[in-house]
Amino acid sequence: MVHFSTAALVLVASVLPQLSQASGLDTAAVAAGKVYFGTATDNPELTDTAYVAQLSNTNDFGQITPGNSQKWDATEPQQNTFTYTQGDVIADLAKANGQKLRCHNLVWHSQLPSWVTSGTWTNTTLIAVMKNHITNLVTHYKGQCYAWDVVNEGLNEDGTYRESVWYETIGEAYIPIAFAAAAAADPNVKLYYNDYNIEYSGSKATAARNIVKLVQSYGVKIDGVGLQSHFIVGSTPSKSAQAANLAAFTALAVDVAITELDIRMTLPSTAALLSQQSTDYASTVGACMETDGCVGITIWDWTDKNSWVPNTFPGQGAACPWDDNLVKKPAYTGILTALGDTASATSTTTTTSSTTTTSSSSSGSTSVAAHWGQCGGLSWTGPTACASGYTCTYTNPYYSQCL
């Protein structure tokens, strides 16, 4: 288990007040009627005290998802030998901070230990293995999780079932069986199907809705669908398209959540790409805001420093709302504005691991706007000059920014 030194905790305590000057993403989301705004994290990152300070900033993050430490290979590396050490570190951090925990995930085709993928299974024996795994994990974290991603990425792009060990051995019934096992272990936790590329209409989104109907046809509880929302700058579906798609899910009497949001770009980043990224983040967040059954939004880690993107998509990156130096990017303002907090969005707090510079929007201010700060726009009464080295750049009639 990770333990923080007294000096590290003092640093976190000293940084947190600076991080909390603006309204914050979770504060704005909850004020607008959502359950949370949150982020994923992973155990290796928790040795970085500046990172942990912002992760623990509940103004921005009211929810945490463990990126890897609750997956099958991390929790049952040998059959019926369970280990929860890493998952408990993140669960304990969320509890200490008063943050919700979205637990992730129970059944997936990836990150399976070899004893699962190379085993000789029958329908009966693999069902027993799957149910045993689910029962152990959900029971261990009973009462700690807001939701579980029960089945993750069970579909191909054309909407057919993915050829996993689960589908090949058990058939589509593995999905309702998994949900039933999770519901039996913790009747109160929210149970989700989670997938990517189901954020817009098409065969895969239709198939995901059919999964909801399949589970419901078995008389089994399913509470929601998680839309991962791993997007590319300039190719993100429009807000209206995403909202219409979300409504097609909620029409099935389930909630929806944006569960793994990031928006990557081809590097290097430019002012134009960062501006478009801000717009794209606002489209996805805005679609959730317009959907009564969209309970919350989770970004897939909050800083480019720890993003999964560069290792998976060579030449691409800069996908998160904070940069490698833990400094807010234009995307942060785009998200905050889409959450409806226009007052805080016009008072930009620029944060590094040890310092904070705030540009106020108060009338008559003689200060200069910091990097990424607002410097113009309709009815703007704050600073119109930028800190040395940055230029006030027009984004739209309502917003100009120091870039």
Side-chain angles (χ1 to χ4, degrees), residues 37-366:
F37 190 102
T39 181
T41 191
D42 212 351
N43 296 78
E45 302 160 13
L46 302 182
T47 59
D48 182 339
T49 54
Y51 172 89
V52 174
Q54 173 56 26
L55 177 67
S56 301
N57 176 12
T58 55
N59 237 10
D60 277 325
F61 305 129
Q63 170 268 316
I64 296 178
T65 298
N68 287 291
S69 57
Q70 291 179 324
K71 291 175 179 175
W72 200 303
D73 59 351
T75 55
E76 194 182 0
Q78 288 84 41
Q79 187 170 4
N80 212 31
T81 299
F82 290 88
T83 175
Y84 299 110
T85 302
Q86 296 299 302
D88 286 351
V89 167
I90 295 176
D92 290 346
L93 179 64
K95 182 178 180 181
N97 292 337
Q99 295 163 313
K100 290 178 172 59
L101 187 70
R102 280 200 90 256
C103 293
H104 175 81
N105 60 60
L106 295 172
V107 182
W108 190 28
H109 69 277
S110 187
Q111 290 182 238
L112 291 171
S114 59
W115 71 263
V116 176
T117 56
S118 302
T120 302
W121 308 110
T122 66
N123 180 288
T124 300
T125 59
L126 191 59
I127 287 174
V129 163
M130 183 179 74
K131 290 173 70 174
N132 183 60
H133 180 82
I134 293 169
T135 300
N136 273 273
L137 257 71
V138 177
T139 300
H140 179 81
Y141 289 105
K142 185 175 182 178
Q144 299 182 65
C145 303
Y146 167 80
W148 267 107
D149 290 328
V150 178
V151 175
N152 194 52
E153 300 175 4
L155 296 169
N156 294 316
E157 291 306 294
D158 62 0
T160 58
Y161 286 110
R162 187 185 293 275
E163 295 293 323
S164 65
V165 64
W166 314 112
Y167 180 71
E168 292 170 1
T169 308
I170 304 170
E172 69 175 13
Y174 87 87
I175 298 175
I177 291 170
F179 275 86
D186 186 352
N188 297 318
V189 71
K190 302 284 188 181
L191 304 180
Y192 275 67
Y193 174 75
N194 191 56
D195 215 329
Y196 62 92
N197 287 352
I198 60 170
E199 301 86 8
Y200 41 85
S201 61
S203 299
K204 195 170 186 180
T206 299
R209 290 194 294 274
N210 287 338
I211 284 177
V212 175
K213 295 174 185 177
L214 172 69
V215 176
Q216 292 172 335
S217 74
Y218 275 70
V220 173
K221 169 176 134 149
I222 179 170
D223 296 292
V225 175
L227 297 89
Q228 294 182 14
S229 305
H230 295 296
F231 291 133
I232 301 172
V233 168
S235 299
T236 300
S238 68
K239 180 173 72 170
S240 60
Q242 291 184 68
N245 187 61
L246 293 174
F249 283 105
T250 58
L252 301 176
V254 294
D255 291 335
V256 289
I258 309 301
T259 55
E260 303 184 17
L261 176 62
D262 53 27
I263 306 180
R264 64 187 185 269
M265 64 182 70
T266 299
L267 300 174
S269 66
T270 64
L273 286 170
L274 290 169
S275 177
Q276 183 62 50
Q277 183 183 55
S278 179
T279 298
D280 292 345
Y281 264 105
S283 294
T284 298
V285 173
C288 179
M289 294 297 292
E290 291 183 4
T291 305
D292 288 340
C294 187
V295 299
I297 300 152
T298 305
I299 51 178
W300 206 241
D301 224 316
W302 56 273
T303 166
D304 295 336
K305 181 178 181 180
N306 298 317
S307 173
W308 69 296
V309 169
N311 289 333
T312 307
F313 302 97
Q316 297 187 317
C320 300
W322 281 258
D323 69 14
D324 288 318
N325 296 314
L326 314 189
V327 176
K328 293 173 184 174
K329 293 155 61 177
Y332 183 95
T333 300
I335 294 169
L336 196 58
T337 301
L339 290 170
D341 195 335
T342 54
S344 290
T346 55
S347 179
T348 302
T349 302
T350 302
T351 306
T352 67
S353 60
S354 59
T355 62
T356 302
T357 303
T358 302
S359 59
S360 172
S361 60
S362 59
S363 179
S365 170
T366 58

